[in-house]
């Protein structure tokens, strides 16, 4: 989600992971609207940091991808949080 790199089935599972946009250690939820695919090495560098502050410092930062991450959060929250 952050770098735009394709995460295809051919890539090693060891290189793929799921990121909590708001880390669990920072009161993030383990819910679909707080999850995005991410390469494991990038996830390690993010750790429990604030997503926006961390992402702005990355060489692969892209405003369009950031916008899509925020759009995903809103869409998924309303799609899967219906009562």
């Amino acid at each position: 989600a952050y770098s735009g790199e394709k995460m295809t089935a051919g890539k090693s599972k060891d290189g793929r992971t799921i990121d909590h946009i708001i880390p669990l250690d920072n009161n993030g939820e383990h819910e679909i609207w707080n999850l995005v695919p991410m390469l494991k090495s990038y996830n390690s560098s993010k750790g429990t940091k604030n997503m926006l502050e961390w992402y702005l410092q990355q060489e692969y930062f892209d405003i369009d991808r950031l916008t899509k991450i925020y759009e995903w959060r809103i869409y998924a929250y309303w799609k899967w949080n219906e009562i």
Side-chain angles (χ1 to χ4, degrees):
Y2 301 106
S3 67
E5 293 181 46
K6 301 279 185 206
M7 296 180 69
T8 63
K11 285 202 176 198
S12 166
K13 288 183 181 181
D14 294 335
R16 300 178 284 178
T17 189
I18 297 294
D19 178 54
H20 289 84
I21 298 167
I22 300 172
L24 296 176
D25 288 350
N26 294 339
N27 298 318
E29 298 179 79
H30 192 63
E31 298 289 348
I32 194 161
W33 54 85
N34 192 39
L35 303 172
V36 291
M38 186 178 196
L39 295 174
K40 193 175 275 189
S41 61
Y42 297 156
N43 200 343
S44 295
S45 78
K46 179 177 173 264
T48 61
K49 296 174 187 152
N50 172 283
M51 182 274 291
L52 182 58
E53 290 176 11
W54 169 83
Y55 191 39
L56 288 169
Q57 296 174 355
Q58 305 311 305
E59 64 183 33
Y60 46 83
F61 170 78
D62 182 90
I63 192 68
D64 291 332
R65 285 193 298 270
L66 178 63
T67 301
K68 288 178 184 178
I69 290 167
Y70 285 131
E71 288 172 350
W72 160 252
R73 286 182 53 83
I74 293 166
Y75 167 78
Y77 179 83
W78 290 109
K79 171 87 173 155
W80 285 284
N81 202 35
E82 296 181 45
I83 298 176

